[in-house]
Amino acid sequence: MNWGWLEDLLRDVNVYSTAFGRIWLSLVFIFRLLVYLVAAEKVWSDDQKDFECNTKQPGCTNVCFDHFFPVSHIRLWALQLILVTCPSLLVLMHVAYRKAKEERLREIQGDNYRRIYPNPGKKRGGLWWTYLLSLVFKACVDLVFLYVFFRLYRNYTLPRLVKCELQPCPNTVDCFISRPTEKNIFTLFMVVTTCVCVVLNLIEATYLIGKRCHECLEVKGGDSRRNSHDYPMSCANPVGTGGQVFHGADYKPPTATTPLTASCPSTLPKDEAGS
């Protein structure tokens, strides 16, 4: 199988990923894809051919192999790698859609058009949700495959000897698996790298949510500071009060009156002041 398309996809996604996303891409490319291509495929290449049972009954070996290995490790890992990298393709498609929309506006309105996406690859709006959902989907895919491997191969290990009693075997026969120790090592290695990838996906999702919450809090804090700067001025000279001070309902005005003097001239009109 040619995996060159997957290598190109991971290289393109690296441009729009965070630091945690780049670590995840490196882990998938080096410790999962390359190990799968270089070593794992060769280890499982003679899987059925070297599965031997101590009987000559026709069909017994094939039935026992199908019972103990319903799905090959190699095919499960291939399907897992395809599904776990597809969400990254959705992120690239979303960025390409933004760029195409900007290009259409530029062709219609000219070079002085108003840009909708100053930076199409910046994770804002719909692209932020696409990226976050891709992380959740990748983590869920890896967890599902971990469960499938655990159900098919208990404790992720292969025994050296299995006993088969299925038809058309004449009786209980012993069957031997080829290179079980080497297969167990590669299986555990792939399980560990999958768990690390799940943890990285969850950390990156937490980082994105925390960063967005921090930005929202900063915006709200800036608005409250601006409102607090405007509040003393409005209180010092309330609009529509004419400089008057309003007292509460229990306020009692002073009974003593202050005679008008030269230092405190009357504000009444002259005819009223003289009367």
Side-chain angles (χ1 to χ4, degrees):
M1 184 176 181
N2 186 9
W3 292 89
W5 64 272
L6 183 57
E7 180 182 356
D8 297 335
L9 173 63
L10 296 178
R11 188 184 299 110
D12 294 336
V13 174
N14 188 48
V15 179
Y16 308 109
S17 301
T18 63
F20 298 105
R22 293 187 180 96
I23 296 174
W24 181 87
L25 289 170
S26 301
L27 192 65
V28 170
F29 180 73
I30 297 175
F31 294 100
R32 294 177 69 175
L33 181 59
L34 288 184
V35 169
Y36 173 85
L37 294 175
V38 174
E41 276 190 325
K42 295 181 179 179
V43 172
W44 270 269
S45 61
D46 56 353
D47 202 13
Q48 186 173 4
K49 182 178 63 176
D50 292 342
F51 183 81
E52 297 180 354
C53 298
N54 57 355
T55 182
K56 296 297 184 179
Q57 179 69 28
C60 178
T61 302
N62 292 334
V63 170
C64 293
F65 180 84
D66 182 71
H67 175 71
F68 290 106
F69 300 97
V71 183
S72 174
H73 286 66
I74 292 299
R75 291 173 178 84
L76 275 178
W77 283 330
L79 181 61
Q80 182 180 4
L81 286 173
I82 292 173
L83 292 179
V84 86
T85 52
C86 281
S88 301
L89 181 61
L90 294 178
V91 175
L92 290 180
M93 292 174 63
H94 198 144
V95 175
Y97 165 76
R98 284 185 167 189
K99 291 181 178 179
K101 191 173 183 180
E102 287 284 334
E103 187 65 23
R104 284 198 307 270
L105 287 176
R106 190 180 68 82
E107 292 177 355
I108 296 173
Q109 302 178 7
D111 294 335
N112 296 326
Y113 74 102
R114 182 183 177 183
R115 302 192 65 179
I116 302 177
Y117 308 108
N119 184 4
K122 193 173 182 63
K123 289 179 282 295
R124 290 291 184 273
L127 184 60
W128 186 86
W129 284 104
T130 302
Y131 195 90
L132 180 64
L133 292 177
S134 70
L135 295 176
V136 176
F137 183 81
K138 289 186 287 189
C140 291
V141 168
D142 280 335
L143 290 175
V144 168
F145 274 90
L146 285 175
Y147 176 76
V148 170
F149 271 105
F150 181 80
R151 294 291 297 176
L152 293 179
Y153 310 103
R154 187 66 59 182
N155 297 326
Y156 305 107
T157 56
L158 299 176
R160 290 182 172 83
L161 172 67
V162 292
K163 296 184 177 294
C164 182
E165 302 176 351
L166 301 175
Q167 295 293 333
C169 298
N171 48 30
T172 302
V173 297
D174 296 333
C175 298
F176 303 91
I177 301 172
S178 65
R179 295 187 285 190
T181 302
E182 189 175 11
K183 291 178 180 178
N184 287 333
I185 292 174
F186 277 104
T187 301
L188 293 176
F189 178 82
M190 296 295 279
V191 168
V192 171
T193 54
T194 301
C195 293
V196 174
C197 287
V198 172
V199 173
L200 286 174
N201 286 327
L202 297 178
I203 291 175
E204 188 175 8
T206 305
Y207 167 76
L208 287 177
I209 296 174
K211 185 178 179 181
R212 176 55 61 87
C213 294
H214 179 69
E215 291 174 353
C216 293
L217 291 176
E218 282 187 344
V219 172
K220 291 182 179 179
D223 292 341
S224 62
R225 283 194 295 270
R226 284 194 296 270
N227 294 333
S228 63
H229 288 320
D230 296 340
Y231 179 73
M233 296 180 63
S234 61
C235 292
N237 188 16
V239 179
T241 61
Q244 299 178 2
V245 178
F246 293 95
H247 302 284
D250 58 348
Y251 174 76
K252 296 181 179 180
T255 57
T257 58
T258 304
L260 298 175
T261 62
S263 60
C264 183
S266 174
T267 58
L268 297 174
K270 292 181 178 181
D271 55 345
E272 293 182 8
S275 60

